[in-house]
Amino acid sequence: QITLKESGPTLVKPTQTLTLTCTFSGFSLSTSGMGVGWIRQPPGKALEWLALICWDDNKRYSPSLKSRLTITKDTSKNQVVLTMTNMDPVDTATYYCAQSRGVYSQSLNWFDPWGQGTLVTVSS
Amino acid sequence: QSVLTQPASVSGSPGQSITIPCTGTSSDVGAYDFVSWYQQHPGKAPKLMIYDVRHRPSGVSDRFSGSKSGNTASLTISGLRAEDEADYYCSSYTSSTSVVFGGGTKLTVL
């Protein structure tokens, strides 16, 4: 059974850096074809893809947020970490991590399953 | 503003079929067969229903089907049931190797 769980602060101040950790089980990010992505959803709004990291360390970012995002993996701990700098109230959202799978790391594009999500509020 | 366009809401009666369109461009939906669909119930995480335009993950009912024509992909739900009432999101791979989502469609089962 594959599970993922997000962890991190529930409240951050504007201009601070957010660090979120996705801890997963049931697969290894050292296995060919595996990836983990981050997606967020502001309250009452649509999903927004943020970043994805693959087994071969290929990393892809949302073009609109690329300058603020960094995604890394720790294969030994089965964890993926997302950092987002210069947080703003508009970044208030539920942040999800999810598994991605495919043949080519450059084209991984769907997510299943998802973690339960963690609500991050940006406020002073 | 989402890159992929979906109607804000659709509705149907139990047993009926409904279709949710997802319109993109020649740089995303029209360029690749990498369209997926997600179902999200209130307060829950999204669930993958369709990937690569028309493929169903194991465990997803065959009442759900996907298709694509040009720059528009579609999700069809046949034999509508009360439990299908949820938000539905499409997503697509893009020519810049990113992933984009639609604005979401709220399905109401009358």
Side-chain angles (χ1 to χ4, degrees):
Chain A
Q1 182 189 7
I2 295 169
T3 63
L4 305 96
K5 188 173 183 179
E6 307 84 354
S7 60
T10 58
L11 179 66
V12 297
K13 290 180 167 49
T15 76
Q16 287 187 334
T17 294
L18 170 68
T19 299
L20 294 172
T21 300
C22 176
T23 303
F24 56 87
S25 64
F27 69 99
S28 172
L29 252 185
S30 61
T31 300
S32 179
M34 297 296 157
V36 171
W38 285 93
I39 305 98
R40 71 178 179 179
Q41 184 174 37
K45 296 188 178 181
L47 300 169
E48 179 183 18
W49 175 73
L50 301 176
L52 188 150
I53 190 166
C54 302
W55 75 95
D56 56 3
D57 211 36
N58 180 283
K59 302 171 185 177
R60 290 148 52 195
Y61 298 98
S62 164
S64 63
L65 294 168
K66 185 174 183 178
S67 63
R68 300 173 54 203
L69 296 173
T70 302
I71 190 170
T72 59
K73 61 181 172 71
D74 186 330
T75 305
S76 65
K77 293 183 179 179
N78 279 354
Q79 290 181 333
V80 169
V81 175
L82 180 75
T83 61
M84 180 180 289
T85 61
N86 194 25
M87 293 293 285
D88 183 272
V90 299
D91 296 313
T92 294
T94 294
Y95 287 75
Y96 296 99
C97 65
Q99 186 193 38
S100 189
R101 303 186 294 280
V103 176
Y104 304 107
S105 61
Q106 273 295 92
S107 59
L108 263 62
N109 65 92
W110 49 264
F111 303 97
D112 176 58
W114 296 51
Q116 63 188 26
T118 184
L119 176 61
V120 177
T121 300
V122 184
S123 174
S124 55
Chain B
Q1 185 176 1
S2 301
V3 177
L4 305 181
T5 301
Q6 299 179 234
S9 64
V10 298
S11 63
S13 300
Q16 287 185 331
S17 294
I18 63 96
T19 295
I20 302 173
C22 168
T23 302
T25 70
S26 57
S27 296
D28 40 65
V29 174
Y32 311 94
D33 284 341
F34 291 152
V35 176
S36 53
W37 290 90
Y38 301 86
Q39 177 192 64
Q40 186 179 33
H41 288 108
K44 300 295 186 181
K47 175 187 176 184
L48 180 70
M49 305 303 285
I50 296 287
Y51 68 96
D52 294 351
V53 175
R54 65 186 74 253
H55 297 276
R56 277 188 310 276
S58 175
V60 172
S61 171
D62 60 5
R63 297 185 300 106
F64 292 83
S65 62
S67 62
K68 191 186 85 168
S69 178
N71 296 338
T72 299
S74 298
L75 173 71
T76 298
I77 308 173
S78 59
L80 213 53
R81 297 178 180 175
E83 59 260 37
D84 298 332
E85 185 163 295
D87 292 328
Y88 291 85
Y89 293 91
C90 62
S91 77
S92 176
Y93 180 75
T94 80
S95 59
S96 61
T97 73
S98 65
V99 175
V100 291
F101 282 92
T105 297
K106 181 178 180 59
L107 169 61
T108 300
V109 181
L110 302 171

